[in-house]
Amino acid sequence: MQQENFTVWSFFFLEGFSRYPRLEVVLFIFSLMMYLITLLGNSTLILIIVLDSRLQKPMYFFLGNLAFMDICYTSASIPTLLVNLLSSQKTIFLAGCAIQMYLSLAMGSTECVLLAVMAYDRYVAICNPLRYPIIMSRQVCVQMASVSWMTGCLTALLESSFALKTPLCGNLIDHFTCEILAVLKLACTSSLLMDVIMMVVSILLLSIPMLFICISYVFILSTILRISSAEGRNKAFSTCGAHLTVVILYYGAALSMYLKPSSSNSQEIDKIISLLYGVLTPMLNPIIYSLRNKEVKDAMTKLLL
């Protein structure tokens, strides 16, 4: 089908790691193990948050949302990766590519906003403990989570719609998934509008939430240092340590992908970063929160026993 000398592709080839055939089996085992751990860890975390009455708190409500996002995010791309690692025909239909791109963008963008919301939750809990139940009421928590989801889903719809309307001069995607930057590298002509949209969304959903998190932790650290007892300081640090660790892992990978100069790294390095960003971080999130949170560990022990 021709339109203005541009082909409308019905399917795409995902190059993935086909340049390294000996590595593909290792990556398959590595990705499969991490994906299964991700599903098990995040599903278990959601289950104990729902079942244990002691975890019916704002922090765990947001944590449950985060765990659900991690399941959706990995499930959007890892099953396709696993199939293609063992297949000689590494193809994906246009509809599948569109769904994969949208879900990855939506879940990733939502998580950026949600991590900022969780930072605010920790700020209120530590800096305004007496007003915490009033400020972070159930209704407010639901509204904040809803805003996170709507922001991520709407910006993903905007990005993916414009990306899929961009005329492409090929159908070989140099990636293991329909990652938006890899797809846009096939564009026949540069689009100023698409570049502006990508830059604005990156600033809104990466830079601004990250700045908000940093400001929140400046106030949190200032309050913690004023706590007189060592036990009180340690307890305050423990409630923030897990969230801060997840933020560093998530934003570190995301910023290296979306806010770096296009020529600073090769495409192969981008694929590795994407794999770590898309599989390792979601796998580590429930582990980090379980190891650094006594309430979660107690609830998990109660569930298993």
Side-chain angles (χ1 to χ4, degrees):
M1 179 179 178
Q2 297 292 328
Q3 183 179 357
E4 298 181 0
N5 296 324
F6 298 120
T7 301
V8 178
W9 303 102
S10 60
F11 67 93
F12 296 92
F13 292 99
L14 296 172
E15 183 160 339
F17 299 95
S18 57
R19 296 174 189 173
Y20 311 97
R22 294 183 179 179
L23 184 62
E24 287 189 315
V25 175
V26 176
L27 285 174
F28 175 83
I29 297 172
F30 173 75
S31 301
L32 178 61
M33 290 179 59
M34 291 204 299
Y35 181 54
L36 292 176
I37 294 172
T38 298
L39 294 180
L40 177 62
N42 285 285
S43 297
T44 303
L45 192 57
I46 293 172
L47 185 62
I48 63 174
I49 289 173
V50 171
L51 296 180
D52 198 307
S53 58
R54 294 172 297 178
L55 302 184
Q56 303 303 310
K57 302 176 183 178
M59 181 175 72
Y60 301 112
F61 170 74
F62 294 128
L63 182 55
N65 276 264
L66 181 64
F68 180 71
M69 280 180 217
D70 285 339
I71 292 174
C72 295
Y73 185 81
T74 53
S75 297
S77 58
I78 301 307
T80 301
L81 169 64
L82 294 174
V83 171
N84 288 340
L85 284 172
L86 298 182
S87 172
S88 58
Q89 295 292 328
K90 306 177 189 299
T91 60
I92 184 170
F93 287 104
L94 176 61
C97 187
I99 293 171
Q100 194 176 74
M101 182 189 296
Y102 173 75
L103 287 177
S104 296
L105 286 170
M107 296 303 105
S109 300
T110 302
E111 189 158 340
C112 288
V113 181
L114 188 69
L115 288 173
V117 169
M118 293 173 74
Y120 176 73
D121 172 70
R122 292 299 84 207
Y123 159 76
V124 176
I126 292 174
C127 300
N128 296 281
L130 297 179
R131 298 180 59 201
Y132 180 70
I134 300 174
I135 296 175
M136 299 301 294
S137 64
R138 182 71 178 181
Q139 182 179 1
V140 170
C141 291
V142 171
Q143 290 173 347
M144 294 174 79
S146 299
V147 168
S148 300
W149 280 97
M150 286 190 293
T151 301
C153 291
L154 290 176
T155 54
L157 182 62
L158 176 67
E159 288 180 292
S160 57
S161 296
F162 274 93
L164 293 169
K165 289 179 181 177
T166 302
L168 304 178
C169 286
N171 65 340
L172 176 60
I173 300 174
D174 191 9
H175 211 282
F176 61 84
T177 182
C178 286
E179 199 270 332
I180 189 169
L181 296 181
V183 172
L184 289 176
K185 287 183 179 181
L186 300 175
C188 299
T189 57
S190 61
S191 171
L192 178 60
L193 178 59
M194 191 68 223
D195 292 340
V196 170
I197 290 173
M198 291 293 294
M199 180 58 68
V200 170
V201 171
S202 295
I203 292 173
L204 288 176
L205 297 182
L206 286 173
S207 302
I208 292 179
M210 188 63 189
L211 178 61
F212 184 83
I213 291 170
C214 291
I215 293 173
S216 296
Y217 272 99
V218 168
F219 286 105
I220 289 171
L221 183 61
S222 175
T223 301
I224 290 175
L225 292 177
R226 292 200 300 268
I227 298 176
S228 57
S229 67
E231 182 181 355
R233 286 195 299 270
N234 290 335
K235 184 177 180 180
F237 273 122
S238 67
T239 62
C240 299
H243 176 258
L244 193 56
T245 303
V246 170
V247 166
I248 293 171
L249 286 172
Y250 187 83
Y251 275 97
L255 290 171
S256 68
M257 282 182 58
Y258 291 101
L259 293 183
K260 66 176 178 58
S262 59
S263 61
S264 65
N265 285 313
S266 69
Q267 184 64 21
E268 299 305 312
I269 295 177
D270 285 346
K271 293 177 192 177
I272 297 298
I273 293 175
S274 296
L275 191 60
L276 295 176
Y277 171 76
V279 184
L280 186 61
T281 303
M283 182 192 73
L284 290 178
N285 284 354
I287 298 174
I288 292 170
Y289 276 101
S290 298
L291 291 177
R292 298 187 63 91
N293 191 299
K294 186 178 183 300
E295 288 181 316
V296 173
K297 286 190 290 186
D298 291 344
M300 191 170 295
T301 301
K302 179 182 177 182
L303 177 66
L304 295 175
L305 296 179

